């Protein structure tokens, strides 16, 4: 009898704790609904379903207790201040393109959907673009292209502004102009206590620097003010090749990365793709030249590689190229992304290719996948006096000698998520081992491509990481954003 009594007490205590963990967010949703009438949506409503299904990848489509859709910074402040006092887990989403589960959505918590804060306003007098954090890059380019202006933004139309910029950002124009975050002039941000501040080069400067690469650890960004630049049409597009061209393409990209051939107007992504459904492999080169120069000399070696399965090279505008990238993207599937960086050597790519090929075949034995391995350059560091948090010294030249490697896996069998994450982790470890063998290792993990198990903020270096922690303590002393939000943390 005593044993039964103890077991019953344990059973009741367990379910009491479970109910408390579930009840708190549910109660918070009810209270938020009274403070923000018509802006809080629960499961079963059309607005809730639309928000969840709009995430680009299936693994991000968690089911929160409710979705809050604020329309301005003041409503964000109200929600964040309230949640900071309840302890309930919460997340903030913009475009919803990220691949890390739990970074922009939260199961059984409260998700703040920023997509109603998406105004794009061009100040012609100062050539400054004010962009709501819930906007996507197609909205930005559609606003700027008619004025022959641009900003450093995403290369795919559907990518959200907020997460992209706070993670650094690589653009069509990055070889010449740097990371996208370096063109931020001002950030409007809601702190965890509900205070709204503007961070820039003269006010809250430490916060301003931290937000340029430090992700969601300091506050909820509601608006970015971006520096524009003159930019008319450019030349670009993509070439698709059969697998017989792989070795030639590796040599061509290796030559492209030679220091003496650096062209600041040339941006390229070289990808190798395995299509598990047909057991075939192809390669693609996405080429962009920031001037309307047909058949730019820098890219001629890639254009001369034959045979070609398709070729879309043309003169067009940024909006068009971003839409083309979206059309080629793999939506409504699960995905795994991971990344690493290394210094270019004459042999490193040819050593990595068979590792990827073997990895793709092994993953396809788990479930049908599409595997893509992409090589591209790292942008240059910011000018002196305009720092970001990404860790590159102002005198370094990562754009000339470093290569960013991205592996992305797409699949429909959601039960294979964990196994494919482990296999991807093994692939990254193998690439890092090759880089170490060649004396080419580089401690940089690009946050916007990183897997959940990677530590991009730590890879910025101890000095930067310590600075970021100091900023987090100053602006979020209770550690609300470290404890109640997901994503890449500073601990």
């Amino acid at each position: 009898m005593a044993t039964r009594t103890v077991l019953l007490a344990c059973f009741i205590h367990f379910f009491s704790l479970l109910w408390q963990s579930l009840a708190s967010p549910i109660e918070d949703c009810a209270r938020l609904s009274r403070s923000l009438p018509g802006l809080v949506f629960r499961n079963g409503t059309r607005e809730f379903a639309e928000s969840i299904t709009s995430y680009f990848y299936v693994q991000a489509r968690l089911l929160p207790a409710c979705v809050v859709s604020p329309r301005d910074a003041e409503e964000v402040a109200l929600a964040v201040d309230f949640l900071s006092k309840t302890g309930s887990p919460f997340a903030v989403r913009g475009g919803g393109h990220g691949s890390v589960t739990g970074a922009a959505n939260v199961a059984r918590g409260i998700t703040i959907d920023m997509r109603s804060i998406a105004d794009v306003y061009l100040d012609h007098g100062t050539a400054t673009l004010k962009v709501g954090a819930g906007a996507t890059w197609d909205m930005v380019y559609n606003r700027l292209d008619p004025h022959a202006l641009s900003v450093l933004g995403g290369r795919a139309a559907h990518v959200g502004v907020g997460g992209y910029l706070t993670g650094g950002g690589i653009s069509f124009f990055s070889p010449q102009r740097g990371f996208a975050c370096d063109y931020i002039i001002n950030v409007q941000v809601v702190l965890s206590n509900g205070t709204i501040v503007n961070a820039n080069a003269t006010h809250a400067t430490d916060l301003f620097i931290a937000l340029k690469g430090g992700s969601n650890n300091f506050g909820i960004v509601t608006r970015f003010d971006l520096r524009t630049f003159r930019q008319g049409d450019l030349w670009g597009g993509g070439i698709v090749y059969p697998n017989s061209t792989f070795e030639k393409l590796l040599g061509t990209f290796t030559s492209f990365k030679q220091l003496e051939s650096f062209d600041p107007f040339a941006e390229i992504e070289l990808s190798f793709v395995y299509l598990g459904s047909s057991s075939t492999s192809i390669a693609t080169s996405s080429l962009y030249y920031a001037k309307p120069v047909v058949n730019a000399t820098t890219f001629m070696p890639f254009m001369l590689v034959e045979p070609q399965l398709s070729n879309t090279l043309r003169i067009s505008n940024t909006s068009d190229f971003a839409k083309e990238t979206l059309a080629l993207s793999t939506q409504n599937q699960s995905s795994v992304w991971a990344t690493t960086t290394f210094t270019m050597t004459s042999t490193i790519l040819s050593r990595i290719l068979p590792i990827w090929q073997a990895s793709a075949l092994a993953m396809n034995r788990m479930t049908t996948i599409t595997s893509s391995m992409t090589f591209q350059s790292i942008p240059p560091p910011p000018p002196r006096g305009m720092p970001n948090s990404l860790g590159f010294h102002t005198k370094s030249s990562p754009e000339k000698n470093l290569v960013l490697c991205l592996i992305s896996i797409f699949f429909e069998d959601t039960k294979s998520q964990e196994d494919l994450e482990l296999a991807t982790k093994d692939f990254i470890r193998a690439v890092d081992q090759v880089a170490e063998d060649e004396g080419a290792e580089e401690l940089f993990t690009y946050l916007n491509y990183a897997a959940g198990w990677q530590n991009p903020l730590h890879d910025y270096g101890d000095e930067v990481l310590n600075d970021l922690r100091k900023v987090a303590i100053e602006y979020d002393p209770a550690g609300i954003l470290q404890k109640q939000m997901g994503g890449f943390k500073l601990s």
Side-chain angles (χ1 to χ4, degrees):
M1 179 65 71
T3 301
R4 286 185 180 180
T5 302
V6 170
L7 288 175
L8 180 60
C10 291
F11 182 81
I12 293 172
H13 178 67
F14 171 78
F15 278 96
S16 175
L17 292 175
L18 178 62
W19 169 247
Q20 290 175 24
S21 69
L22 295 174
S24 179
I26 292 173
E27 293 169 358
D28 290 348
C29 290
R31 293 170 64 188
L32 275 170
S33 184
R34 290 192 289 272
S35 300
L36 296 169
L39 301 177
V40 179
F41 307 103
R42 302 186 195 185
N43 200 349
T45 64
R46 176 183 58 81
E47 293 87 351
F48 182 97
E50 188 281 327
S51 179
I52 301 307
T53 57
S54 69
Y55 284 91
F56 203 76
Y57 298 118
V58 170
Q59 77 272 12
R61 297 173 183 174
L62 307 176
L63 294 179
C66 63
V67 172
V68 182
S69 297
R71 298 163 297 186
D72 54 37
E74 288 72 22
E75 290 177 345
V76 173
L78 189 155
V80 171
D81 181 42
F82 170 78
L83 292 170
S84 70
K85 297 170 182 175
T86 70
S88 289
F90 67 97
V92 177
R93 62 111 9 133
H97 181 263
S99 65
V100 177
T101 303
N105 196 4
V106 56
R108 297 181 298 278
I110 291 87
T111 294
I112 301 175
D113 187 336
M114 300 286 285
R115 289 178 300 156
S116 294
I117 305 177
D119 288 345
V120 180
Y121 170 74
L122 176 61
D123 185 330
H124 292 275
T126 62
T128 299
L129 191 75
K130 300 179 184 295
V131 186
T136 50
W137 288 107
D138 57 338
M139 300 177 187
V140 172
Y141 299 142
N142 289 338
R143 185 73 179 86
L144 292 178
D145 277 344
H147 302 282
L149 294 172
S150 197
V151 292
L152 295 183
R155 292 168 292 187
H158 57 296
V159 170
V161 167
Y164 169 90
L165 286 173
T166 57
I170 299 177
S171 164
F172 293 121
F173 312 109
S174 280
Q176 177 190 11
R177 299 179 180 274
F179 284 96
C181 64
D182 295 331
Y183 272 54
I184 301 173
I185 298 172
N186 179 75
V187 182
Q188 182 189 70
V189 56
V190 175
L191 304 182
S192 61
N193 64 2
T195 303
I196 302 172
V197 302
N198 282 282
N200 49 58
T202 59
H203 179 73
T205 305
D206 53 351
L207 176 60
F208 181 53
I209 295 170
L211 287 167
K212 294 191 287 185
S215 195
N216 66 356
N217 290 285
F218 317 100
I220 312 304
V221 176
T222 51
R223 194 190 75 230
F224 296 91
D225 300 345
L226 305 176
R227 176 159 54 102
T228 67
F229 52 87
R230 300 299 302 177
Q231 179 63 54
D233 287 350
L234 59 152
W235 181 80
I239 305 175
V240 180
Y241 314 85
N243 61 8
S244 60
T245 64
F246 280 11
E247 290 299 327
K248 179 65 174 176
L249 286 168
L250 291 177
T252 302
F253 189 83
T254 300
S255 298
F256 171 79
K257 288 296 295 181
Q258 299 303 311
L259 296 180
E260 62 274 10
S261 64
F262 177 73
D263 184 340
F265 300 103
E267 200 273 333
I268 178 172
E269 299 166 76
L270 177 64
S271 298
F272 298 87
V273 182
Y274 173 75
L275 304 169
S277 59
S278 58
S279 300
T280 58
S281 297
I282 58 173
T284 67
S285 59
S286 299
L287 311 173
Y288 303 99
Y289 202 74
K291 297 180 178 181
V293 178
V294 176
N295 299 332
T297 302
T298 301
F299 289 143
M300 284 303 296
F302 294 95
M303 297 164 58
L304 293 174
V305 173
E306 295 284 354
Q308 298 179 7
L309 303 178
S310 66
N311 184 320
T312 66
L313 293 171
R314 64 204 184 276
I315 289 180
S316 192
N317 59 28
T318 311
S319 297
D320 184 41
F321 289 124
K323 290 175 184 175
E324 180 178 47
T325 304
L326 169 59
L328 297 172
S329 299
T330 307
Q331 191 173 8
N332 296 320
Q333 293 192 23
S334 294
S335 72
V336 175
W337 289 33
T339 184
T340 190
T341 304
F342 52 82
T343 302
M344 175 59 80
T345 70
S346 61
T347 58
I348 193 166
L349 299 187
S350 61
R351 294 183 62 185
I352 292 173
L353 180 65
I355 296 173
W356 168 75
Q357 290 172 318
S359 174
L361 290 175
M363 291 184 195
N364 204 56
R365 287 193 288 270
M366 301 176 188
T367 188
T368 303
I369 64 158
T370 296
S371 174
S372 174
M373 177 179 67
T374 300
F375 299 126
Q376 60 187 298
S377 294
I378 297 286
R384 184 180 297 276
M386 297 174 59
N388 59 37
S389 293
L390 297 169
F392 290 106
H393 193 277
T394 55
K395 293 184 178 179
S396 64
S397 301
E399 73 278 16
K400 296 182 179 180
N401 64 335
L402 296 187
V403 176
L404 186 157
C405 175
L406 163 68
I407 183 170
S408 45
I409 313 299
F410 309 100
F411 52 98
E412 294 184 353
D413 179 13
T414 57
K415 295 179 181 178
S416 298
Q417 183 86 31
E418 184 176 349
D419 289 340
L420 291 171
E421 287 178 354
L422 291 172
T424 302
K425 189 173 185 178
D426 289 341
F427 170 78
I428 293 295
R429 284 175 173 168
V431 173
D432 288 342
Q433 185 60 58
V434 170
E436 183 179 343
D437 293 345
E438 299 229 351
E441 65 270 31
E442 178 70 26
L443 189 63
F444 177 74
T445 304
Y446 179 47
L447 188 146
N448 288 346
Y449 291 168
W453 51 265
Q454 296 187 288
N455 292 303
L457 299 173
H458 293 240
D459 291 347
Y460 293 167
D462 290 342
E463 182 178 354
V464 172
L465 181 60
N466 288 334
D467 287 344
L468 293 178
R469 286 171 172 164
K470 290 177 183 177
V471 174
I473 290 172
E474 179 180 355
Y475 292 94
D476 179 26
I480 301 300
L481 305 181
Q482 301 299 308
K483 294 180 291 189
Q484 291 178 232
M485 287 184 68
F488 297 107
K489 301 289 100 177
L490 297 169
S491 57

